[in-house]
Amino acid sequence: MTEVMTSADAHSDPSADPIMDIIAGATRYKIMMQCIEIGLFDEIESLGETCTAETIAKKCGYDVSVLERLLSTLASYNLLQKDCNRKGMPSYRNSSGTSKYLTRSRRPTMIGLAMSVDAMIHPLLDNLPMLLKSGKPKLDINKNVADNGNILSSSPNHQKTPNNIMDKENNMGPGSPIKQNMSSMPHIPKMPCMPKMPPNSTKMPMEKNGIDYQAKFLMAMEGFSASCASSIVKAFDLSQHRSAVDLGGGPGRISFEMANTYPHMKITVFDLPPVIQVAQKMQQPCSQGQIFFKTGNFFEDEIPSADLYLLGHVIHGFDLKGIDRLLQKVYSKLPPGGSVLVMEKILAENRTEPELAVTNDFVMTLLSQGQERTFSDYQKLFSKHGFVNVQFKHIDGLNYYDVMLLKKPF
Ligand SMILES: C[S@@+](CC[C@H](N)C(=O)[O-])C[C@H]1O[C@@H](n2cnc3c(N)ncnc32)[C@H](O)[C@@H]1O
């Protein structure tokens, strides 16, 4: 008689589990990226509810047995759902997450975010020995903006951006809500996806092979908040606010969610000109008369008035000098009783979790002079500038945001 071992009888050395998990993760990432690039999830989406390996293989000219094993692998990652009929014939469909975030036909998308890891973070990591020795990022986003106008970020010393150029040229002042069109969303080509950072470069590639890198980067930013924007804007009751300005609002994803949740609120997405130019094209034609775009540099230019300011993934990107300057400006612009909603992933007080925040804190050393902080770090920072009643809500799940609400006293 054959004896069957139960899992309690046999276990590999659990001390190897974290290592195996990371090694397997690298393979998982590569497989997912390749499937995005060849458009496999899009094919499955377009074939309707469920489809067999044979159908996809026939349509795309793939070898059915290799495809069958790839589809099973994707099902084991929960990227696909695999069902078997009564005869045991398997069929596949995109999981709800894949359908929402990894297909080109739907929004919001995490495709840009997934691509940016390979295009930007991995090449920067190749310079780890240099970073460790010099203690300085190879690519300083802030300097990058000052030098070549890259959209990622700009330092307090960045030369003054021509204020409202976009507004004038495109008639997009506060009185002119933008008509958005999904069809103008930047198209993601199948291959290549994003130009990689050249090995020894200190500059982000701007435009290569006809690919608009800035649009891709904005899509990457959108991917950060795609899964949690709705929880972010509902974390606190903000209904008493009439007007909001999303400083460094990037693609405006959080502002659009804010507009859906608080239909009476007028919201301005404020960012550097090249960002606003792309952000306008990426947004849906909803909330006409509610969302406005304004170009400017929040260090140099006047910021629009509001009784609520949003700062999402902005504070963590700058050094203390820049943050102090920005918080002072926001405080002086706010009316008494006004609020600031700060959205950053917060480090636990022991600074060893959550993993995404700890990793991001390290990734910041590759990209900028910024850092992640604990809640008590933030409390000190905000109270130094006169803010009171600092509250914190944790956003559960795998995401890059928690939310803090602070007040200017009456
Ligand atoms: C990491 S992104 C965050 C985008 C968005 N708030 C979010 O949470 O998804 C930071 C944004 O700040 C903008 N930014 C950086 N420096 C700026 C400046 N001096 N003035 C205005 N916007 C700036 C960048 O262009 C970028 O869109």
Side-chain angles (χ1 to χ4, degrees), residues 7 19 28 111 117 146 150 186 200 252 272 323 354 360 376 387 396:
S7 57
I19 304 165
R28 282 202 296 271
I111 295 176
V117 173
N150 196 292
N200 284 315
L272 299 166
I323 298 169
N360 229 23
S376 52
F387 291 104
D396 256 352

Side-chain angles (χ1 to χ4, degrees), residues 151-155 221 225 246-251 254 270-272 275 296-299 312-314 316 318 401:
I151 66 162
L152 300 174
S153 183
S154 84
S155 72
M221 272 195 246
S225 61
D246 190 354
L247 290 169
I254 294 170
F270 183 91
D271 210 303
L272 299 166
V275 178
N297 179 327
F298 49 53
F299 291 119
H313 279 193
V314 168
H316 79 168
F318 292 98
Y401 289 87

Side-chain angles (χ1 to χ4, degrees), residues 375-387:
F375 182 52
S376 52
D377 291 338
Y378 277 116
Q379 276 178 310
K380 275 184 217 138
L381 181 66
F382 299 143
S383 55
K384 182 173 94 181
H385 288 280
F387 291 104

Side-chain angles (χ1 to χ4, degrees), residues 194-301:
M194 258 193 184
K196 276 197 187 194
M197 287 275 299
N200 284 315
S201 174
T202 54
K203 290 193 173 166
M204 304 294 299
M206 296 296 288
E207 182 110 10
K208 205 174 160 190
N209 303 335
I211 298 162
D212 182 350
Y213 188 85
Q214 297 196 339
K216 300 293 178 304
F217 198 82
L218 240 72
M219 292 189 72
M221 272 195 246
E222 189 173 63
F224 274 114
S225 61
S227 66
C228 58
S230 151
S231 309
I232 289 172
V233 303
K234 289 178 192 145
F236 295 100
D237 179 6
L238 303 169
S239 54
Q240 77 276 24
H241 295 288
R242 318 303 306 170
S243 57
V245 174
D246 190 354
L247 290 169
R253 172 88 209 129
I254 294 170
S255 282
F256 274 79
E257 207 60 53
M258 190 76 96
N260 284 337
T261 309
Y262 305 104
H264 65 280
M265 204 187 276
K266 299 263 189 278
I267 306 164
T268 304
V269 180
F270 183 91
D271 210 303
L272 299 166
V275 178
I276 292 295
Q277 192 175 22
V278 182
Q280 290 173 146
K281 290 189 186 148
M282 285 172 70
Q283 293 301 345
Q284 298 98 326
C286 61
S287 60
Q288 272 204 18
Q290 207 189 343
I291 297 265
F292 308 93
F293 289 90
K294 185 141 181 85
T295 61
N297 179 327
F298 49 53
F299 291 119
E300 306 294 339
D301 301 322

Side-chain angles (χ1 to χ4, degrees), residues 97-103 106-111 185 219 222-223 225-227 253 257 284:
T98 302
S99 198
K100 257 194 268 178
Y101 302 118
L102 292 183
T103 56
R106 299 264 201 115
R107 296 199 54 196
T109 178
M110 284 188 179
I111 295 176
M185 181 181 155
M219 292 189 72
E222 189 173 63
S225 61
S227 66
R253 172 88 209 129
E257 207 60 53
Q284 298 98 326

